[in-house]
Amino acid sequence: RLAEASFFPYLLMESMQSSSAWGAVRVVPMSHDSVEVIVSGHIVKSDGELMRLKINVVDATGRAWFSKEYSQKASKYSYDKNMSRRHDPFQNIYNRIANDLNRYRQSLTTEQKVSIRQVSEMKFAQLFAPQVFDGHVSENPDGRLAVNRLPARNDPMMMRIRQVRERDHIFIDTLQEHY
């Protein structure tokens, strides 16, 4: 089960990236609070023949995209040694999750997408320089996060934070290779 818990997210990441609908998709072992979209889930059942996953998706603003259970029964030929196996027996589940994610993202307005990106960046900035970026993001009455103000485009502190964030992405990408 522990191996599956690491392997399944990697297969979902590959499905999302191969769809060309997303930029970089990263797998991290714990919640990484300053990313644009967090896809989390757990294995309800996995016995080699039947797999059920419970998937929850939330963006950086706190908007719940969806919570859904996916299930699939493996083909009787999935484990046949005489058949060439190019895909995981449950590849269809990962494709369905990736398609649902893309469908939801397409339903968002441009303003909502920009807001998600801005909140994500400001949350990351607050992690490294809370005294500077505190107050840039606040919680609305509905529980979602929103940007109150943005630093200037040429703000030197924000430029350094962006460099740190880029290094963080490189670090995660390096770790991801070991999944």
Side-chain angles (χ1 to χ4, degrees):
R1 185 58 53 101
L2 199 54
E4 287 176 328
S6 295
F7 189 56
F8 293 168
Y10 185 80
L11 292 174
L12 175 58
M13 178 269 308
E14 284 186 328
S15 293
M16 291 174 69
Q17 285 192 166
S18 69
S19 73
S20 299
W22 301 91
V25 178
R26 295 178 171 94
V27 176
V28 292
M30 61 186 157
S31 181
H32 202 284
D33 196 32
S34 60
V35 297
E36 293 177 25
V37 180
I38 298 171
V39 179
S40 61
H42 70 273
I43 301 166
V44 177
K45 180 176 183 166
S46 177
D47 62 11
E49 180 185 21
L50 180 67
M51 182 164 65
R52 273 197 344 238
L53 303 175
K54 176 75 172 166
I55 301 297
N56 298 301
V57 184
V58 178
D59 66 32
T61 67
R63 177 188 298 111
W65 284 22
F66 61 87
S67 182
K68 187 172 176 182
E69 194 168 292
Y70 295 84
S71 65
Q72 180 183 335
K73 187 175 181 179
S75 163
K76 65 181 180 179
Y77 301 107
S78 294
Y79 302 105
D80 188 340
K81 292 178 186 175
N82 297 324
M83 304 291 286
S84 67
R85 216 176 85 194
R86 288 185 258 174
H87 300 288
D88 184 83
F90 301 102
Q91 183 62 45
N92 190 37
I93 280 184
Y94 311 119
N95 293 343
R96 289 189 346 237
I97 296 168
N99 289 339
D100 286 350
L101 285 162
N102 191 38
R103 221 178 341 272
Y104 190 91
R105 185 176 57 91
Q106 289 176 343
S107 75
L108 297 173
T109 65
T110 301
E111 183 180 275
Q112 289 171 321
K113 292 175 191 175
V114 168
S115 175
I116 291 168
R117 186 165 287 127
Q118 290 172 339
V119 167
S120 171
E121 185 174 53
M122 289 296 92
K123 284 170 68 175
F124 190 85
Q126 284 178 332
L127 288 172
F128 285 91
Q131 67 282 7
V132 176
F133 295 105
D134 219 22
H136 280 62
V137 175
S138 65
E139 190 173 327
N140 293 336
D142 64 0
R144 290 193 191 149
L145 298 177
V147 173
N148 294 331
R149 63 184 186 273
L150 291 169
R153 286 187 184 264
N154 60 352
D155 180 277
M157 180 66 82
M158 194 63 216
M159 291 168 72
R160 287 192 295 274
I161 293 292
R162 287 182 179 128
Q163 290 174 348
V164 170
R165 192 171 194 199
E166 188 58 36
R167 287 187 197 107
D168 184 57
H169 289 160
I170 291 168
F171 176 72
I172 292 170
D173 290 343
T174 302
L175 284 179
Q176 189 165 283
E177 292 176 21
H178 297 287
Y179 268 90

